[in-house]
């Protein structure tokens, strides 16, 4: 008896193969083996949204191998991932392989360890069609939205754009933040901070002896770090406080005059501790990781993007060779929204804490954490499969990024089952009597009493540690000054904060966060600068267009409700066709309305506050292939135009110091879709351009193509020339762009020889490909076969005709001779 096991990845297959006996054969499907074809919508909307699936391109050979293996086996075990996507892959495999339901089993496991695998295979189940239908509905819904809105964007904005049910809402979240930042008007306010010390000594000129040291610490261009500040405060028995109340009222100064009036009133006054309050506080450990919190922590602590985090986690889950311990999956499944921990995991974690850290760090009972309402409780949180395998123990067998992520996951899990940390919280009020009334400064800090879970999971606290003080104690001010500040706009999203926002709003699911963030950047709707996500002009324009005509799709509440409807298909076995029907009715009418009424983005203008330097008319914002720019409102009478920055301000053309080789005028720095370059200031009369490097140095012009004398086999009219590229020289046709023939430079000498021999160029492309060593595609092979058949038929007919003619001639000759 032989059993076939199919998993998704070769790495997973390799690990599982070691745990199963010789009666099992483990193969990998390499992800999806069947999907909706990329060309066309392939969903029959009129007949119950029935999808048309096809073998994924490049997988036909693999499918043939899996079918062959399935025929030789008695049972097939589908061991793909345990989420909806994995269930759908298993269903597609079952359909394609054609194995009977009686001999097809579904196997799921949360961790790739010996015990987990053996337990799963000891009690296999059947396919969960509710999960499959939930994934099918999601896939079909996304296909309908993407394939029906995207062509609209091609016509109304720019070619090659795409829309997505979830990705478009994610872009909207980033775009709205960008609009808030652009519309933000900073407001001035003033603070009066002080640095107090319990050391009352002063210098001869009346200044405190620590004042010079404090100024030196803050004198550099770079601000001192938290650690440097903490060290200085500890060495000088000092702390920082803020002026909170003046004359019994909350302090607030909106300008320099108000701040300096209070500051001068404080000069030379005595400062006294008016109250000291101490209390104990506890901080509980955080729950173990789910997908979103892992992505956030990996971003904040290690600088990993969401996509990178999931790739590293996948490798840890599928198995790592730990030498003498063998190949082990180090973490549980990494796509989950549940904080649930199995009893076995809790016992293993508590055992490690008890044996390695001591009884003080082990709570009387395990710590439990509530999951979100939508969480799938059948899943576990992300945790180490065996807590006894510490990060340091595994380090020699891990890459640097694998170690950092495993260390993060291991520490978070262990810390989640430890006792709380205990703190002494101190709040101090410092008062001074001034002409403007009593001035009250406030400061707070905390001191660690018992480290608890922070022994494993470092808590990044910004609170200072205050020196010992008592009520009525005199203090000296080592520094006291008014400071000007301005209110700041909301911060741009990072990958971590965007994941948090998506999770909070119920947009997408754990398995999709990384792909959403990756897709919106690939589509150029969002760009990442200094690890901050900014909506591009293209992203903002597309968002505005979709909001105008598809308010439901772009509505966060509607998207959240749709996610809940899709969850209901799996959890409550709701009718997936009805969910799609309820969505498609309003959507289709909106689509027809958009086709008729949506204006092209390039035809729309927005007024600006700037004047045209050529004619004095107002400039207005337009949208072009490189994004937003400023153009004269009298266009086409006045053709002045200039680029603008992210805030909409005109970008003045910077003179490069180079002269135009054609007209002698100045060359100015311009920005195009491929970066900065030099262009003549007399554009469009003179269209001379020069390429520059990152430092702004002019790059030498590309050498002209070098003729070879070899005829092009593709167009038959052109000649092959040597061209230069980033990867080096290559052969191309001199009729480019009409003929886009490309050949490796390595073939140059061989082609010259063949042309001299009269063999090059051959009569057919197939013969040329054979000479060049190119593999024939399936389509070309079919064409070649048909051509061969036709040629054979023609040659047969010709041969028959020739033979008939020769026979006739011979016969007539014989007749003449006999006569």
């Amino acid at each position: 008896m032989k059993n076939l096991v199919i998993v998704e990845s070769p790495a997973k297959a390799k690990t599982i193969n070691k745990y199963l006996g010789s009666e099992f054969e483990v193969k990998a499907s390499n992800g999806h083996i069947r999907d909706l074809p990329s060309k066309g919508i392939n969903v029959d909307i009129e007949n119950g949204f029935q999808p048309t699936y096809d073998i994924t391109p490049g997988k036909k050979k693999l499918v043939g191998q899996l079918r062959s293996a399935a025929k030789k086996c008695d049972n097939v075990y589908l061991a793909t991932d345990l989420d909806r996507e994995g269930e759908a892959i298993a269903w597609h495999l079952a359909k394609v392989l054609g194995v009977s339901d009686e001999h097809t089993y579904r196997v799921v496991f949360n961790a790739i360890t010996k015990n987990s695998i053996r337990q799963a295979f000891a009690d296999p189940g059947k396919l969960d069609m509710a999960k499959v239908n939930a994934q099918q509905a999601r896939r079909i819904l996304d296909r309908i939205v993407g394939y029906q809105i995207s062509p609209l964007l091609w016509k109304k904005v720019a070619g090659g754009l795409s829309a997505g049910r979830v990705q478009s809402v994610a872009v909207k979240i980033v775009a709205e933040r960008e609009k808030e930042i652009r519309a933000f008007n900073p407001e001035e306010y003033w603070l009066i901070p002080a640095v107090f010390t319990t050391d009352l000594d002063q210098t001869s000129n009346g200044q405190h002896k620590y004042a010079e040291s404090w100024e030196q610490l803050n004198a550099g261009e770079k601000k001192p770090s938290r650690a440097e500040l903490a060290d200085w405060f500890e060495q000088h028995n000092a702390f920082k406080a803020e002026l909170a109340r003046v004359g019994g009222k909350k302090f607030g100064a909106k300008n320099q005059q108000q701040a300096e009036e209070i500051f001068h009133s404080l000069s030379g006054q005595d400062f006294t501790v008016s109250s000291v309050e101490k209390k104990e506080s506890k901080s509980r450990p955080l729950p173990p990781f789910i997908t979103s919190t892992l992505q956030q922590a990996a971003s904040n602590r290690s600088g990993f993007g969401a996509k990178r985090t999931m790739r590293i986690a996948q490798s840890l889950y599928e198995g790592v060779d730990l030498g003498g311990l063998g190949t082990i999956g180090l973490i549980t499944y990494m796509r989950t929204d549940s904080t649930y921990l199995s009893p076995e995991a809790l016992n293993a974690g508590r055992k490690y804490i008890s044996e390695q850290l001591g009884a003080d760090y082990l709570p009387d009972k395990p710590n439990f954490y509530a999951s979100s309402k939508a969480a799938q409780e059948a899943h576990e949180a992300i945790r180490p499969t065996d807590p006894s395998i510490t990060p340091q123990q595994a380090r020699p067998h891990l890459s640097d990024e694998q170690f950092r992520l495993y260390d993060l996951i291991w520490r978070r899990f262990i810390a989640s089952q430890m006792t709380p940390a205990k703190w002494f919280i101190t709040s101090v009020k410092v008062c001074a009597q001034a002409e403007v009334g009593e001035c009250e400064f406030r400061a707070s800090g905390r001191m660690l009493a018992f480290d608890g879970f922070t022994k494993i999971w470092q808590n990044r606290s910004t609170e200072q540690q205050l020196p010992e003080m008592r009520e009525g104690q005199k203090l000296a001010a080592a520094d006291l000054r008014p400071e000007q500040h301005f209110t700041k706009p909301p911060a741009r999203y990072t990958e971590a904060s965007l994941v948090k926002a998506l999770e909070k709003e119920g947009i997408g699911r754990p398995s999709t966060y990384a792909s959403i963030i990756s897709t919106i950047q690939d589509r150029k709707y969002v760009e990442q600068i200094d690890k901050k996500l900014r909506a591009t002009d293209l992203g903002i324009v597309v968002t505005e267009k979709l909001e105008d005509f598809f308010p439901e799709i772009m509505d966060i509440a509607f998207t959240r409700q749709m996610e809940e409807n899709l969850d209901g298909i799996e959890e409550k076995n709701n009718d997936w066709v009805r969910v799609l029907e309820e969505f498609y009715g309003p959507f289709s009418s909106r689509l027809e309305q958009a086709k008729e009424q949506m204006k092209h983005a390039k035809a729309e203008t927005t007024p600006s506050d700037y004047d045209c330097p050529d004619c004095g008319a107002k400039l207005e914002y337009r949208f072009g292939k490189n994004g937003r720019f400023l153009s004269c409102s009298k266009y086409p009478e006045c053709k002045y135009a200039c680029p603008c920055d992210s805030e909409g301000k005109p970008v003045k053309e910077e003179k490069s110091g180079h002269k135009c080789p054609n007209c002698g005028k100045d060359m100015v720095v311009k920005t195009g879709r491929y970066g900065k370059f030099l262009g003549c200031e007399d554009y469009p009369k003179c269209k001379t351009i020069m390429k520059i490097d990152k430092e702004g140095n002019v790059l030498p012009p590309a050498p002209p193509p070098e003729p070879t004398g070899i005829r092009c086999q593709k167009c038959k009219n052109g000649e092959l020339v040597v061209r230069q590229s980033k990867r080096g020289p290559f052969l191309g046709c001199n009729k480019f762009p009409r003929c886009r023939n490309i050949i490796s430079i390595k073939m140059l000498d061989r082609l010259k020889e063949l042309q001299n021999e009269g063999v090059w160029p051959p009569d057919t492309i197939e013969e040329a490909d054979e000479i060049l060593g190119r593999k024939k595609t399936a389509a070309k092979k079919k064409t070649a076969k048909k051509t061969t058949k036709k040629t054979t038929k023609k040659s047969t007919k010709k041969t028959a005709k020739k033979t008939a003619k020769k026979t006739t001639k011979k016969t007539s000759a014989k007749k003449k001779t006999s006569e």
Side-chain angles (χ1 to χ4, degrees):
M1 185 176 180
K2 194 78 172 177
N3 302 291
L4 176 64
V5 180
I6 303 177
V7 296
E8 288 179 54
S9 72
K12 194 174 175 182
K14 187 179 177 182
T15 308
I16 291 173
N17 197 43
K18 295 180 179 180
Y19 298 144
L20 298 174
S22 57
E23 67 272 17
F24 289 90
E25 182 182 5
V26 186
K27 289 187 174 291
S29 70
N30 292 317
H32 281 276
I33 53 94
R34 198 172 73 153
D35 199 1
L36 297 170
S38 57
K39 289 185 178 179
I41 193 166
N42 290 291
V43 176
D44 192 346
I45 296 170
E46 302 300 325
N47 294 300
F49 296 91
Q50 287 304 307
T52 299
Y53 293 113
D54 202 356
I55 302 296
T56 305
K59 292 285 185 74
K60 286 187 177 180
K61 185 178 179 182
L62 175 61
V63 169
Q65 292 170 351
L66 293 175
R67 278 176 179 160
S68 178
K71 286 178 183 178
K72 298 173 185 176
C73 295
D74 297 307
N75 298 308
V76 174
Y77 292 86
L78 304 172
T80 50
D81 290 344
L82 67 159
D83 56 8
R84 289 180 193 141
E85 199 78 14
E87 201 74 23
I89 292 173
W91 177 72
H92 283 298
L93 280 165
K95 289 290 182 184
V96 168
L97 297 180
V99 183
S100 66
D101 292 343
E102 186 183 350
H103 295 284
T104 303
Y105 299 95
R106 179 77 172 105
V107 178
V108 292
F109 37 82
N110 189 47
I112 303 178
T113 61
K114 194 172 186 178
N115 288 337
S116 297
I117 299 299
R118 288 188 173 177
Q119 286 175 15
F121 278 86
D123 186 24
K126 292 293 182 180
L127 284 167
D128 185 345
M129 287 310 298
K131 265 188 180 181
V132 172
N133 289 334
Q135 196 279 338
Q136 264 202 122
R138 186 181 297 273
R139 184 76 182 92
I140 292 168
L141 186 62
D142 291 343
R143 172 57 66 98
I144 290 170
V145 172
Y147 273 57
Q148 295 200 344
I149 295 182
S150 296
L152 183 67
L153 295 178
W154 303 344
K155 293 178 181 178
K156 304 296 185 179
V157 182
L161 299 182
S162 73
R165 182 181 59 87
V166 178
Q167 85 176 41
S168 297
V169 179
V171 174
K172 176 186 174 179
I173 291 172
V174 180
E176 284 185 341
R177 179 61 56 88
E178 196 65 31
K179 287 180 182 178
E180 288 176 35
I181 293 169
R182 290 180 181 181
F184 182 80
N185 290 316
E187 294 181 5
E188 182 183 10
Y189 69 97
W190 287 72
L191 298 175
I192 302 181
V195 175
F196 292 118
T197 174
T198 55
D199 191 336
L200 303 179
D201 291 344
Q202 292 185 332
T203 58
S204 56
N205 62 3
Q207 191 179 30
H208 194 274
K209 66 178 184 178
Y210 294 154
E212 186 177 348
S213 172
W214 175 256
E215 285 180 7
Q216 288 175 352
L217 180 68
N218 292 273
E221 292 181 7
K222 191 177 179 181
K223 290 184 178 180
S225 66
R226 290 174 187 169
E228 289 172 331
L229 286 172
D231 287 343
W232 192 92
F233 286 139
E234 186 177 355
Q235 291 168 14
H236 299 82
N237 293 320
F239 63 97
K240 196 169 187 178
E242 290 279 355
L243 180 61
R245 300 183 75 81
V246 176
K249 296 180 181 180
K250 185 179 179 181
F251 166 69
K254 293 183 178 180
N255 54 53
Q256 186 174 2
Q257 183 181 352
Q258 293 175 356
E260 288 191 343
E261 182 185 349
I262 297 169
F263 168 70
H264 290 309
S265 179
L266 280 167
S267 298
Q269 301 299 327
D270 293 329
F271 296 95
T272 307
V273 177
S274 60
S275 73
V276 179
E277 291 183 9
K278 292 184 178 180
K279 60 181 180 180
E280 284 190 15
S281 175
K282 289 183 180 181
S283 56
R284 287 196 67 196
L286 295 167
F289 283 130
I290 58 176
T291 304
S292 58
T293 53
L294 174 63
Q295 290 172 353
Q296 291 165 48
S299 176
N300 294 331
R301 296 197 173 216
S302 298
F304 294 165
K307 195 173 182 179
R308 184 182 180 188
T309 299
M310 297 309 287
R311 175 180 56 78
I312 302 166
Q314 183 88 28
S315 67
L316 294 173
Y317 165 70
E318 290 181 344
V320 176
D321 188 352
L322 297 181
L325 294 175
T327 302
I328 297 174
L330 285 176
I331 64 169
T332 53
Y333 191 57
M334 61 284 159
R335 294 183 180 90
T336 178
D337 51 7
S338 171
T339 55
Y340 167 74
L341 293 170
S342 67
E344 294 80 11
L346 291 171
N347 291 336
R350 288 174 62 81
K351 182 182 178 184
Y352 178 87
I353 295 166
S354 175
E355 293 177 353
Q356 302 298 325
L357 302 176
D360 291 343
Y361 294 93
L362 184 69
D364 295 334
K365 296 178 181 179
N367 294 331
F368 296 99
Y369 300 90
S371 301
S372 65
K373 291 180 181 179
Q376 299 179 56
E377 291 295 341
H379 292 192
E380 264 197 270
I382 305 168
R383 61 169 177 83
T385 56
D386 184 354
S388 66
I389 302 175
T390 65
Q392 290 300 329
Q393 186 180 347
R395 186 165 198 168
H397 309 284
L398 303 177
S399 65
D400 181 60
E401 60 181 11
Q402 283 178 324
F403 167 75
R404 288 161 72 185
L405 194 66
Y406 181 62
D407 184 65
L408 207 62
I409 293 167
W410 184 89
R411 288 181 181 278
R412 182 68 165 249
F413 167 71
I414 294 295
S416 74
Q417 293 306 309
M418 292 175 68
T419 50
K422 294 179 182 178
W423 306 83
F424 290 127
I425 305 295
T426 306
S427 298
V428 176
K429 293 179 183 178
V430 179
C431 291
Q433 298 299 326
E435 292 179 9
V436 292
E438 185 182 63
C439 295
E440 181 184 291
F441 289 81
R442 291 181 182 178
S444 64
R446 66 177 183 173
M447 185 172 66
L448 188 64
F450 173 66
D451 54 2
F453 76 93
T454 62
K455 187 178 182 71
I456 292 292
W457 184 263
Q458 295 293 322
N459 220 351
R460 297 184 173 185
S461 173
T462 58
E463 292 186 80
Q464 58 185 330
Q465 187 171 327
L466 303 180
E468 281 294 326
M469 288 175 281
R470 66 183 184 280
E471 199 170 310
Q473 183 177 354
K474 298 289 185 183
L475 298 176
D479 186 69
L480 180 68
R481 68 184 70 190
E483 286 183 353
Q484 185 186 36
H485 293 268
F486 291 93
T487 54
K488 294 181 180 180
R492 286 186 171 92
Y493 285 105
T494 61
E495 285 200 11
S497 59
L498 182 56
V499 167
K500 190 174 183 179
L502 292 172
E503 183 187 30
K504 180 183 176 183
E505 297 293 350
I507 307 300
R509 285 296 176 258
S511 59
T512 62
Y513 296 143
S515 63
I516 290 169
I517 293 173
S518 176
T519 299
I520 62 178
Q521 291 181 73
D522 292 342
R523 299 295 184 190
K524 307 299 182 188
Y525 295 148
V526 171
E527 60 185 355
Q528 190 167 179
I529 301 173
D530 297 328
K531 295 189 176 181
K532 299 290 176 64
L533 298 173
R534 299 186 183 197
T536 62
D537 292 331
L538 178 63
I540 292 173
V541 167
V542 169
T543 299
E544 289 173 348
K545 292 286 183 188
L546 294 179
E547 275 194 294
D548 287 343
F549 290 93
F550 302 95
E552 293 88 358
I553 286 179
M554 297 299 288
D555 181 56
I556 290 174
F558 178 83
T559 307
R560 184 191 308 120
Q561 182 60 51
M562 183 55 67
E563 292 288 357
E564 291 173 5
N565 292 344
L566 293 169
D567 289 343
I569 297 169
E570 177 184 344
E571 294 161 10
K572 301 175 184 177
N573 213 13
N574 292 345
D575 186 349
W576 66 277
V577 175
R578 181 175 294 178
V579 171
L580 294 177
E581 285 173 344
E582 289 174 354
F583 166 82
Y584 190 73
F587 170 75
S588 60
S589 61
R590 288 278 185 186
L591 187 66
E592 291 305 315
Q593 183 184 357
K595 288 177 180 178
E596 294 175 8
Q597 299 178 12
M598 187 183 285
K599 291 182 180 180
H600 199 289
K602 291 181 180 179
E604 294 180 325
T605 60
T606 307
S608 78
D609 298 327
Y610 305 103
D611 298 325
C612 176
D614 288 357
C615 70
K618 281 291 181 184
L619 294 177
E620 56 190 10
Y621 293 107
R622 289 181 178 271
F623 182 77
K625 61 182 179 180
N626 295 323
R628 211 170 43 145
F629 67 96
L630 283 164
S631 171
C632 184
S633 57
K634 288 190 176 180
Y635 178 86
E637 295 170 22
C638 176
K639 295 185 178 181
Y640 176 82
C642 72
C644 60
D645 60 20
S646 60
E647 296 176 357
K649 296 177 182 177
V651 176
K652 292 183 179 179
E653 292 183 336
E654 175 190 349
K655 292 187 178 181
S656 65
H658 296 279
K659 297 292 182 181
C660 176
N662 293 325
C663 68
K665 294 190 176 180
D666 288 320
M667 298 292 286
V668 294
V669 180
K670 294 178 177 287
T671 303
R673 71 168 72 180
Y674 301 113
K676 291 186 177 180
F677 67 96
L678 300 184
C680 183
E681 67 174 351
D682 200 24
Y683 179 86
K685 289 181 181 179
C686 179
K687 297 183 179 181
T688 305
I689 61 170
M690 293 179 180
K691 291 182 179 180
I692 55 175
D693 59 19
K694 292 180 180 178
E695 284 73 38
N697 301 315
V698 177
L699 296 171
E706 180 186 340
T708 64
I710 304 170
R711 283 177 59 198
C712 175
Q713 87 283 5
K714 194 171 182 180
C715 67
K716 297 292 193 292
N717 298 319
E719 177 189 329
L720 295 180
V721 294
V722 179
R723 297 183 184 275
Q724 299 294 328
S725 73
K726 291 180 180 179
R727 296 180 180 179
F730 67 95
L731 296 175
C733 184
N734 65 352
K735 298 295 182 182
F736 178 85
R738 290 184 180 179
C739 178
R740 297 176 179 267
N741 184 26
I742 292 176
I743 298 175
S744 170
I745 192 69
K746 295 177 183 179
M747 296 298 296
L748 177 60
D749 295 334
R750 177 62 178 154
L751 293 181
K752 283 183 178 180
E753 291 175 9
L754 293 173
Q755 184 161 289
N756 291 335
E757 294 170 7
V759 180
W760 185 269
D763 294 333
T764 65
I765 295 295
E766 288 75 19
E767 289 175 316
D769 286 346
E770 193 173 338
I771 292 171
L772 296 171
R774 294 175 176 172
K775 292 181 179 179
K776 295 179 183 178
T777 61
K780 284 181 179 178
K781 283 180 181 178
K782 286 179 181 178
T783 307
K785 284 181 181 178
K786 287 179 181 178
T787 307
T788 307
K789 285 179 180 178
K790 286 179 181 178
T791 308
T792 307
K793 285 180 180 179
K794 285 180 181 179
S795 60
T796 305
K797 287 179 180 179
K798 284 180 181 179
T799 307
K801 285 180 180 178
K802 285 179 181 179
T803 307
K805 283 181 180 179
K806 284 180 181 179
T807 307
T808 308
K809 283 180 181 179
K810 285 180 181 179
T811 307
S812 59
K814 283 180 181 179
K815 283 182 180 179
K816 285 179 182 180
T817 306
S818 60
E819 287 172 359

